[in-house]
């Protein structure tokens, strides 16, 4: 092996280590980052509920048509086979459970937002996460500096994280 081959191998190893670190970082978001992620994806979560409800309606229609044409259930002694109708019903049940989980998250975030709604700079949260404005645009609209906008946003995110991820925050403080 020559020096160039060794350098190429070393570079590949370093790239691999760096990508592994980046992947671990993504999986281990801080409560602050989790709060920001929830805020930025709140509307998408609401849309997911609508999509899942539409899918449930389609599955219910499919279940009715299956029920009309189903004549029997195929069962063998060693295995139990679910009928098509049972498969549809199981899928509907799983979707309803997913909807309930998403609704709980949305409710939790909205309750947390209600606790800071009276803050003088609450609209920074709305502009940043719901209207997707830049800090420059926010600062211009509120006639404040970009730094002040960022500071107030961070302050409110810290308040929200304490409400939404209180257990995670306590763990990070105590460790």
């Amino acid at each position: 092996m020559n020096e160039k081959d060794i350098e190429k191998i070393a570079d590949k190893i370093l790239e691999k280590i760096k990508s592994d670190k980046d992947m671990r970082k993504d999986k281990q978001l801080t409560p602050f980052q989790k709060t920001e992620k929830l805020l930025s994806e709140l509307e998408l979560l609401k849309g997911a509920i609508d999509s899942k409800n539409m899918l449930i309606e389609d599955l219910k229609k499919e279940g009715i048509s299956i029920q009309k044409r189903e004549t029997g259930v195929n069962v063998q002694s060693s295995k139990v086979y679910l009928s098509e109708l049972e498969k549809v019903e199981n899928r509907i049940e799983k979707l309803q459970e997913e909807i309930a989980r998403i609704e709980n998250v949305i409710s939790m975030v909205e309750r947390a937002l209600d606790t800071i709604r009276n803050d003088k700079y609450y609209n920074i949260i709305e502009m940043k996460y719901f209207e997707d404005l830049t800090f420059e645009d926010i600062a211009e609209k509120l006639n404040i500096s970009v730094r002040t906008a960022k500071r107030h946003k961070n302050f409110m995110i810290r308040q929200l994280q304490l409400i939404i991820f209180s257990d995670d925050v306590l763990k990070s403080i105590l460790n």
Side-chain angles (χ1 to χ4, degrees), residues 135 139 144-154:
F135 280 112
I144 58 176
S145 72
V146 171
R147 186 170 180 225
T148 300
K150 288 180 180 181
R151 214 171 8 138
H152 284 292
K153 186 267 309 179
N154 289 340

Side-chain angles (χ1 to χ4, degrees), residues 22-155:
D22 290 343
M23 289 172 68
R24 273 186 258 127
K25 283 180 188 174
D26 289 347
K27 291 180 183 177
Q28 297 175 346
L29 296 176
T30 66
F32 188 92
Q33 292 168 322
K34 289 177 187 177
T35 303
E36 285 193 304
K37 192 163 181 66
L38 274 174
L39 288 173
S40 63
E41 295 181 2
L42 192 61
E43 293 305 313
L44 294 174
L45 289 172
K46 291 176 181 178
I49 290 174
D50 294 338
S51 297
K52 289 178 188 301
N53 278 324
M54 289 181 351
L55 184 54
I56 287 172
E57 291 305 313
D58 290 345
L59 288 169
K60 284 180 179 177
K61 289 175 188 171
E62 183 181 326
I64 291 169
S65 68
I66 289 172
Q67 200 169 22
K68 287 179 183 175
R69 62 186 153 98
E70 196 168 273
T71 57
V73 178
N74 182 9
V75 178
Q76 292 181 348
S77 60
S78 63
K79 292 184 180 178
V80 177
Y81 292 94
L82 296 178
S83 70
E84 289 302 313
L85 183 59
E86 288 172 317
K87 289 178 186 176
V88 168
E89 289 170 349
N90 287 345
R91 179 75 175 121
I92 289 172
E93 188 176 315
K94 285 180 183 175
L95 286 167
Q96 289 170 333
E97 289 169 3
E98 290 172 17
I99 288 171
R101 279 194 304 273
I102 294 170
E103 286 174 338
N104 285 337
V105 169
I106 290 171
S107 174
M108 176 182 58
V109 172
E110 288 178 341
R111 282 193 309 269
L113 285 169
D114 285 342
T115 65
I116 65 165
R117 204 170 297 278
N118 292 332
D119 188 287
K120 180 180 177 182
Y121 292 106
Y122 171 78
N123 49 354
I124 291 173
I125 297 293
E126 289 182 333
M127 288 187 264
K128 179 67 181 162
Y129 297 102
F130 307 146
E131 297 173 25
D132 218 15
L133 296 180
T134 65
F135 280 112
E136 290 76 17
D137 293 335
I138 293 168
E140 187 177 319
K141 280 188 173 194
L142 297 177
N143 200 26
I144 58 176
S145 72
V146 171
R147 186 170 180 225
T148 300
K150 288 180 180 181
R151 214 171 8 138
H152 284 292
K153 186 267 309 179
N154 289 340
F155 176 75

